[in-house]
Amino acid sequence: MNLYPLKFKPILKERLWGGEKLREVLGKDFTSAEIGESWEISGVEGDVSTVANGPYEGKSLNDLISAHPEDLLGSDVVNRFGLAFPILIKFIDAKKDLSIQLHPDDELARKRHNSFGKTEMWYVMDADPGAELIIGFKNDLSREEFQKAMDSKSLTDYLHYEPVQSGDTYLINSGKIHAIGAGILLAEIQQSSDVTYRVYDFDRRDSQGNLRELHTDLAVDAMDFKKKDDFRIQYSRALNRESPMVSCEYFKTSYLDLDSETTMEFEDQHSFTVLICVQGNAQLVMGSWNVPVEKGETVLIPASAKKLVLKTSQSSFLKVSL
């Protein structure tokens, strides 16, 4: 059976900092008051996505990769990652501040956790007035200065706070200390990893009254203590054509702002493509397949695709490939 544009069932995650925007803004179906994440496409062990549309409905992403490795992932991806889906696509709703945290690089993650590291990209979809991200330090720190800040509970005095609005885009390299602030809804594209080192959690307690575990000792060895202004991504929004955003060794992203039918050609395609709808709606036509997509939905276009027609009068997408 030929592959087609694939949708997956969202994997919804309860978080003590979660809220209602995933339902109210993106149309996710849940009743809990604390859903913080919707994993859109995941190959993470224990959280593997399941197809939600077409003849493969109910099949896992891993089953499809096993049956159609190069047709689905692309030859370059298979050569590099084998049968592992190499990225994780999420939506995150931070009703409250997330913990201050960081992620290890590939070498450290492989050594400690038999996992990929985690470099990630954020695209802000909605932000309350005054909402901020924490990204990196105000100035270079030494390990000793960092430890003193932790001991005196003054770490937040040393962090860089970044005001945000809808459309802002950031690349968070492994090792960079960061946190998503309250009032922010964003799309996240990241390496396929769930390894997080929590450094500070504002002394919050979970529903059982317990402080959440910190991983400061692990984090220190992974942390970049240098001040770096390398995180904000500048990009244009040219109508009806791709506008490049991020190009790193783990993924490439671009922005599509459309107001009419647009054709995407995939000649000699060596990678799958992911389309994340961040505004409006469209029909994705691939051969005899016609797949509707709306804001808050994510679609995996197989590497075997030669052409995709996006029929729309107004929509915006993040395009992701390797």
Side-chain angles (χ1 to χ4, degrees):
M1 187 183 298
N2 292 331
L3 294 170
Y4 52 91
L6 297 160
K7 292 183 178 181
F8 296 87
K9 297 176 183 177
I11 301 170
L12 301 174
K13 300 283 189 177
E14 288 194 358
R15 301 287 189 252
L16 61 80
W17 38 261
E20 300 81 31
K21 284 186 179 180
L22 291 172
R23 177 180 58 236
E24 294 175 354
V25 178
L26 301 186
K28 302 303 176 184
D29 185 16
F30 60 87
T31 57
S32 171
E34 293 187 339
I35 296 296
E37 301 184 15
S38 176
W39 291 23
E40 297 293 294
I41 307 180
S42 168
V44 175
E45 185 176 355
D47 284 298
V48 177
S49 292
T50 301
V51 178
N53 69 317
Y56 288 124
E57 182 176 356
K59 292 277 190 183
S60 77
L61 174 60
N62 287 354
D63 287 342
L64 286 187
I65 292 173
S66 295
H68 311 278
E70 293 197 355
D71 283 346
L72 183 58
L73 297 182
S75 57
D76 287 356
V77 177
V78 172
N79 289 338
R80 184 177 174 189
F81 297 101
L83 301 185
F85 194 70
I87 60 172
L88 172 59
I89 308 293
K90 298 178 181 177
F91 294 118
I92 296 177
D93 170 25
K95 185 175 183 178
K96 304 173 185 175
D97 294 330
L98 272 67
S99 63
I100 298 169
Q101 58 188 245
L102 57 93
H103 312 289
D105 62 16
D106 287 341
E107 182 179 357
L108 197 56
R110 189 179 303 111
K111 178 181 176 181
R112 287 178 171 175
H113 312 287
N114 191 30
S115 170
F116 295 121
K118 185 174 174 184
T119 287
E120 58 194 311
M121 177 192 132
W122 295 338
Y123 172 82
V124 178
M125 297 183 68
D126 186 74
D128 294 348
E132 296 178 311
L133 299 168
I134 290 173
I135 311 178
F137 294 107
K138 290 179 181 177
N139 299 289
D140 292 356
L141 282 188
S142 66
R143 287 192 179 208
E144 293 74 22
E145 288 169 329
F146 172 77
Q147 191 57 56
K148 287 180 181 178
M150 291 297 297
D151 293 342
S152 63
K153 295 188 180 296
S154 62
L155 176 64
T156 54
D157 295 339
Y158 297 85
L159 301 174
H160 170 74
Y161 288 79
E162 177 82 3
V164 298
Q165 59 185 357
S166 178
D168 287 349
T169 301
Y170 301 89
L171 182 66
I172 310 298
N173 294 307
S174 60
K176 189 183 294 293
I177 197 165
H178 62 272
I180 301 171
I184 296 173
L185 172 70
L186 57 78
E188 179 174 286
I189 297 104
Q190 59 159 94
Q191 289 178 266
S192 183
S193 170
D194 199 29
V195 179
T196 296
Y197 296 157
R198 190 180 299 123
V199 173
Y200 182 58
D201 195 38
F202 309 98
D203 297 322
R204 291 182 295 196
R205 297 181 182 272
D206 63 20
S207 57
Q208 283 75 47
N210 300 312
L211 293 170
R212 293 204 294 170
E213 181 182 6
L214 301 180
H215 317 99
T216 309
D217 291 343
L218 293 172
V220 168
D221 291 333
M223 189 177 298
D224 185 350
F225 292 97
K226 298 292 185 182
K227 168 184 164 58
K228 294 178 180 176
D229 298 322
D230 58 353
F231 44 81
R232 190 179 181 95
I233 302 301
Q234 303 293 340
Y235 69 101
S236 62
R237 292 193 177 189
L239 198 59
N240 298 320
R241 66 181 178 88
E242 289 187 39
S243 301
M245 300 174 85
V246 168
S247 181
C248 68
E249 62 181 302
Y250 304 111
F251 47 79
K252 297 177 178 66
T253 62
S254 56
Y255 191 86
L256 291 170
D257 193 16
L258 309 176
D259 69 355
S260 63
E261 182 175 307
T262 300
T263 299
M264 300 173 67
E265 302 280 354
F266 301 109
E267 294 211 7
D268 299 320
Q269 183 78 337
H270 300 295
S271 166
F272 62 86
T273 299
V274 173
L275 293 175
I276 306 168
C277 188
V278 296
Q279 195 64 48
N281 59 80
Q283 300 283 329
L284 306 187
V285 180
M286 178 181 143
S288 62
W289 296 98
N290 189 327
V291 177
V293 60
E294 298 181 349
K295 180 179 179 178
E297 292 190 313
T298 302
V299 183
L300 175 60
I301 309 301
S304 58
K306 300 301 182 185
K307 182 172 75 171
L308 181 73
V309 179
L310 292 86
K311 294 186 175 182
T312 183
S313 59
Q314 192 284 311
S315 60
S316 300
F317 290 87
L318 302 179
K319 178 191 174 189
V320 188
S321 63
L322 265 64

